[in-house]
Amino acid sequence: MHFSVLWILTNLLSATMGTTIGSILKNIWALPIAIVSYSIFIWRSMSDENNAIQKMFNIYDDNIRIVSNNILGVIFNVPYVLDKLFIVLLIFLFISFVGFYRQTKKRFLYLAIGLGCIGIIGLNANYLKTSEQIFTSQYPDVKAQSYKIISYDMDIDFSKNFKNQATLHLKIENNIDHIVLLLDQVFHIKKITINHLPVSYSFTNHKLILHTFQKKGDEVKIDILYDGHLFMNNDVGAPTFYVTKQAINLPGNIFYWYPTVPTIGKSQFTIKTKSSIPLYTNLQQKTSSLYEGTTNSISFVAGEYKKINHNGKAYIIPKVTDFHRFTENLDDMLQSLSKKEYPKEELANIKAENYQKVIVGFWPGYERYVFLNNDTLFVNGLNF
């Protein structure tokens, strides 16, 4: 369907541009001017710059030059519709040019159509710019030496947008007057209670600060309800972290999609999920919607995947990926890993293949190629 949309709209636009220029000039220069005018769109499609506005002016596929995400597929969401609406508005804008030039009795009508198209294009561009989510990887440092997250209970709805009812059980190790957790600012806090009582909090710069006095030895139960529309691009405009009906990509050690303190160590997780597509994670699947495990961080992925069992390991890789080529490239990559990038114990376990699952995810290329989380090796699909 995506190809059909592109084929129809780009051909209509080229035909409209050619007809408009030919109707106005009516001389030998019409053809070269039409070709040069249309070539501007071709030039734009070859650029490496790929933010929301630049994508709008790319009338072809947005990822011709950008290394994109082959796990996600094409998502027919609001930005996609608005992106293609821009081409439709351009077509009507060129038609209004012809009408204004040729139909003298209806010039005000065609002028109104042209100005209307320009106005809608402006509103369209403003919405795409202001609604674009870009991952910067600039999380603040948080050290929690006065408390420890013992366990999490989560009830997560992946079925449309993201919604999570998270319960955190903390053990207080020193007297404190606040608790600091990291959570990406893209989410919206709906409600927070501590031991079933409301609590004052602030949420800025990815830091969720709960203003509460707790004594050493206290056990604290924090309930956090939050949600959000998540479709985040990396710094070159490729979809990176997202929750849609067709695909999910939430690597927990890179993108803080649940309240956490990265340096706090392992916690026990019990997670109930609601999803219309199969989920893959580093936790153990107990039922079709229940996952449990003890780990440093949790990750969920879903989308255009296939599962292959080979030599006692489960490989969850993109459907378009050749398995034998993938394993060859993965072996070469793992052997080239450096001690400068990985802790000694983790590197030893990776090279000894002490894992049972290999899951391909997607995250910015400046992060580590792979990371080991319990029995699961996560691999950046950007490198395959």
Side-chain angles (χ1 to χ4, degrees):
M1 182 176 177
H2 176 57
F3 174 80
S4 298
V5 170
L6 293 180
W7 189 85
I8 292 171
L9 290 181
T10 53
N11 279 282
L12 282 175
L13 179 60
S14 63
T16 306
M17 287 183 66
T19 302
T20 300
I21 295 171
S23 298
I24 295 174
L25 294 183
K26 293 184 178 180
N27 58 42
I28 195 173
W29 291 102
L31 179 60
I33 291 175
I35 293 174
V36 170
S37 299
Y38 190 76
S39 67
I40 294 174
F41 293 108
I42 300 176
W43 168 78
R44 171 74 240 354
S45 70
M46 301 306 291
S47 173
D48 291 334
E49 298 177 346
N50 214 29
N51 64 33
I53 303 301
Q54 291 158 341
K55 287 180 179 179
M56 189 176 72
F57 282 92
N58 180 1
I59 64 173
Y60 306 104
D61 190 273
D62 291 333
N63 300 298
I64 293 177
R65 290 288 302 277
I66 303 299
V67 178
S68 187
N69 187 335
N70 61 2
I71 304 168
L72 178 61
V74 178
I75 301 298
F76 296 95
N77 53 11
V78 173
Y80 181 92
V81 173
L82 295 180
D83 187 75
K84 305 315 171 200
L85 177 62
F86 170 70
I87 304 177
V88 175
L89 291 171
L90 280 182
I91 293 171
F92 279 99
L93 185 60
F94 283 115
I95 292 174
S96 70
F97 288 162
V98 176
F100 183 82
Y101 181 77
R102 300 296 299 273
Q103 301 289 332
T104 56
K105 294 182 179 181
K106 297 182 179 180
R107 279 189 170 179
F108 286 108
L109 172 61
Y110 287 106
L111 177 62
I113 293 174
L115 292 176
C117 289
I118 293 173
I120 297 173
I121 288 173
L123 294 174
N124 190 0
N126 181 67
Y127 176 85
L128 290 173
K129 181 179 179 180
T130 56
S131 63
E132 184 179 25
Q133 300 172 352
I134 300 177
F135 179 69
T136 61
S137 188
Q138 296 177 349
Y139 289 116
D141 292 328
V142 173
K143 295 182 180 180
Q145 299 176 348
S146 300
Y147 49 89
K148 184 176 181 180
I149 304 177
I150 303 300
S151 65
Y152 289 84
D153 293 291
M154 298 188 197
D155 192 344
I156 306 175
D157 188 350
F158 291 121
S159 59
K160 189 176 180 182
N161 291 330
F162 177 90
K163 183 177 181 180
N164 187 10
Q165 174 66 66
T167 299
L168 290 68
H169 298 272
L170 276 66
K171 179 66 178 291
I172 307 302
E173 298 179 340
N174 291 297
N175 295 340
I176 58 173
D177 60 5
H178 65 277
I179 296 172
V180 182
L181 303 168
L182 288 181
L183 178 67
D184 197 276
Q185 204 71 40
V186 72
F187 298 108
H188 306 287
I189 304 295
K190 296 298 183 180
K191 184 180 179 181
I192 301 180
T193 62
I194 293 183
N195 295 334
H196 305 292
L197 297 175
V199 61
S200 173
Y201 67 89
S202 60
F203 185 35
T204 57
N205 191 32
H206 312 296
K207 292 172 69 174
L208 179 58
I209 302 176
L210 312 182
H211 305 287
T212 176
F213 291 94
Q214 301 293 337
K215 296 184 296 183
K216 180 179 179 180
D218 286 350
E219 294 185 357
V220 176
K221 178 185 177 184
I222 304 175
D223 291 299
I224 305 174
L225 175 63
Y226 65 100
D227 62 11
H229 170 73
L230 180 60
F231 197 86
M232 186 171 287
N233 297 327
N234 60 16
D235 55 346
V236 294
T240 303
F241 307 125
Y242 43 82
V243 174
T244 73
K245 291 182 179 180
Q246 296 87 8
I248 296 167
N249 189 53
L250 297 173
N253 68 321
I254 297 173
F255 175 63
Y256 298 147
W257 60 271
Y258 62 91
T260 184
V261 180
T263 59
I264 213 165
K266 293 186 177 182
S267 302
Q268 173 66 36
F269 290 87
T270 301
I271 300 180
K272 296 179 181 179
T273 63
K274 181 180 179 181
S275 174
S276 58
I277 50 178
L279 300 172
Y280 302 101
T281 177
N282 56 304
L283 300 178
Q284 297 297 317
Q285 185 172 5
K286 299 300 182 179
T287 68
S288 60
S289 60
L290 178 64
Y291 302 84
E292 295 180 351
T294 301
T295 182
N296 291 310
S297 65
I298 49 172
S299 301
F300 277 96
V301 300
E304 297 293 318
Y305 283 100
K306 59 184 177 183
K307 183 177 179 181
I308 298 175
N309 295 310
H310 181 72
N311 290 338
K313 293 179 173 58
Y315 292 81
I316 294 93
I317 64 176
K319 289 181 178 180
V320 298
T321 300
D322 180 80
F323 176 70
H324 296 292
R325 182 174 296 178
F326 171 82
T327 54
E328 290 177 0
N329 293 338
L330 179 62
D331 290 342
D332 292 340
M333 177 189 292
L334 297 184
Q335 293 305 315
S336 66
L337 297 181
S338 168
K339 295 179 180 179
K340 297 180 180 179
E341 299 177 287
Y342 292 84
K344 183 178 179 180
E345 181 180 356
E346 182 180 5
L347 183 62
N349 285 326
I350 290 175
K351 294 199 171 185
E353 298 188 8
N354 292 332
Y355 48 84
Q356 298 300 314
K357 290 186 288 187
V358 177
I359 299 178
V360 175
F362 192 86
W363 54 86
Y366 48 77
E367 300 284 354
R368 300 191 323 184
Y369 294 150
V370 301
F371 62 88
L372 185 63
N373 201 328
N374 291 15
D375 68 343
T376 304
L377 182 70
F378 284 92
V379 182
N380 193 349
L382 187 65
N383 302 290
F384 292 89

